[in-house]
Amino acid sequence: MLDVMMWVCCVIIYARVILAIKKFYCWNPYYKIHTNRIENIQKTFFKYLEKLLYIEHTNYKSSTELFKINTLQDRRTYFDQLLLYKICNNIIDSPDLLCTISFHAPNRHTRSQNLFHLPTCHTNYRYHSTIFRIQRDYNLNFK
């Protein structure tokens, strides 16, 4: 019973403190070094929790499955696609956001299965912007 209570307390601490720090620090970085820094916070917490509960440490992926906490990359992808869904289905009522999304509508049948049209980007700022990134990720992951 004590182990269960300790585990619940640790998860609450994680949800309140660690996730808040990660959200404040940088939600969706595009440089690998920043992503790794944020992921290391979660990895360290998992190692601490495994040591506290006398669980043999295996690897990061199995730890996320054991504690039923998604990896940060999975969380970012999920929330990006959720945002795109809400914008396209008018759950978020923002015409300004909706007009930034370009649907791919070819004038003749092609083999391209992309739902969104993405123009060429001349800057990293535009390429990694939120709306452009979620459209690009959708085209890559959901063909």
Side-chain angles (χ1 to χ4, degrees):
M1 181 68 179
L2 184 62
D3 287 341
V4 173
M5 289 301 292
M6 192 176 298
W7 183 79
V8 169
C9 290
C10 287
V11 170
I12 290 171
I13 290 170
Y14 173 80
R16 300 284 184 213
V17 177
I18 306 295
L19 284 180
I21 290 170
K22 290 187 295 191
K23 284 180 183 178
F24 175 76
Y25 176 67
C26 187
W27 176 241
N28 203 339
Y30 51 88
Y31 289 121
K32 198 67 173 168
I33 188 168
H34 300 293
T35 304
N36 290 340
R37 282 184 183 171
I38 296 171
E39 289 283 348
N40 281 339
I41 295 170
Q42 185 159 311
K43 288 178 188 177
T44 304
F45 175 75
F46 285 151
K47 286 180 186 176
Y48 170 74
L49 196 56
E50 288 167 345
K51 184 178 178 183
L52 191 66
L53 299 175
Y54 305 107
I55 300 171
E56 183 180 330
H57 177 68
T58 53
N59 61 15
Y60 179 57
K61 193 70 172 172
S62 64
S63 297
T64 59
E65 292 168 1
L66 175 68
F67 296 118
K68 295 178 178 54
I69 298 175
N70 294 335
T71 64
L72 298 176
Q73 185 60 42
D74 292 342
R75 288 173 53 89
R76 285 190 286 268
T77 303
Y78 171 75
F79 285 114
D80 281 350
Q81 296 310 313
L82 184 63
L83 175 64
L84 183 62
Y85 173 81
K86 287 181 176 182
I87 292 170
C88 290
N89 290 297
N90 210 19
I91 296 169
I92 295 177
D93 187 22
S94 176
D96 294 335
L97 278 177
L98 189 58
C99 75
T100 60
I101 295 176
S102 331
F103 291 97
H104 180 69
N107 56 2
R108 63 182 181 274
H109 183 66
T110 62
R111 285 185 259 170
S112 175
Q113 299 294 320
N114 292 338
L115 180 60
F116 301 104
H117 170 70
L118 301 173
T120 305
C121 294
H122 300 290
T123 62
N124 277 344
Y125 182 76
R126 166 105 193 249
Y127 183 78
H128 295 294
S129 67
T130 304
I131 296 294
F132 197 84
R133 184 190 68 242
I134 60 179
Q135 292 177 79
R136 183 181 64 241
D137 289 346
Y138 186 89
N139 282 345
L140 291 174
N141 296 326
F142 303 103
K143 289 193 175 204

